[in-house]
Amino acid sequence: MRTAADALGRLVRDVPDFPEPGIVFKDITPLLADPDGFAAVVAELAAAGRDPDGQVVVDKVVGMEARGFIFAAPVAMALGVGFVPVRKAGKLPRETHAVSYALEYGEATLEVHRDGIAAGDRVLLVDDVLATGGTVAATRDLVAACGGETVGVAVLMELLFLPGRQTAGDVPVTALLGI
Ligand code: AMP
């Protein structure tokens, strides 16, 4: 059986200069096409939602559009809790909270349904890559706006030359692979 770190090492491709010069894009599509590797990664991400005795300690799993959805949904099912999508502006049909944040060039806005997270919910954030941490910080603000508490962040890969972990502040970050 394949471990998550082994799967990530074999099945994530580096694509230089995508989507713009200087960025090395982490292409996860070979991992998604490998059922054993995909399952191993989901199982390890889901461990971030359990205590050392294996008890589930989160009420919701949030995934950030778009690649976060692919992992957050099966993690939520593995933990037996609800999945909540955080989407780019204008995609969610009901009342939302919105947070704008700076990108390298320009600005992005993320939204969550106001009734997606209940007051007091303990929330695990799941995404593929932690880079500058801007996406995680904005999502944490959205969870807080709903009255929830972000209790963990779980990602496949953390880019260690960027300050993503510091941006997450005091929230524990689980990265299956540091690069
Ligand atoms: P950041 O907000 O800077 O932490 O960026 C994280 C978001 O951008 C995640 O949703 C990732 O999917 C995406 N991302 C950032 N850097 C990369 C990269 N090198 N390869 C693939 N996705 C990335």
Side-chain angles (χ1 to χ4, degrees), residues 145-159:
C146 295
E149 184 193 359
T150 300
V151 297
V153 175
V155 296
L156 301 187
M157 290 163 282
E158 174 184 6
L159 304 185

Side-chain angles (χ1 to χ4, degrees), residues 60-64 68 72 82-86 112 117 123-127 139 143:
K60 297 275 165 51
V61 176
V62 163
M64 294 84 116
F83 162 72
V84 179
V86 158
V112 69
I117 295 165
V123 177
L124 175 68
L125 311 188
V126 173
D127 205 351
T139 304
V143 171

Side-chain angles (χ1 to χ4, degrees), residues 23-26 65 67 101 127-136 159:
I23 303 290
V24 179
F25 188 83
K26 299 292 178 185
E65 186 171 356
R67 289 183 296 279
Y101 64 108
D127 205 351
D128 62 339
V129 174
L130 177 66
T132 67
T135 306
V136 162
L159 304 185

Side-chain angles (χ1 to χ4, degrees), residues 64 86-90 92 96-103 107-114 133-146:
M64 294 84 116
V86 158
R87 299 214 60 184
K88 292 171 183 160
L92 289 170
T96 62
H97 291 294
V99 170
S100 296
Y101 64 108
L103 296 175
E107 201 183 64
T109 299
L110 293 177
E111 293 185 328
V112 69
H113 270 149
R114 288 181 179 227
T135 306
V136 162
T139 304
R140 193 182 173 187
D141 288 348
L142 289 173
V143 171
C146 295

Side-chain angles (χ1 to χ4, degrees), residues 61 63 68-78 81 83 126:
V61 176
F69 295 170
I70 298 168
F71 299 98
V75 165
M77 292 186 73
V81 303
F83 162 72
V126 173

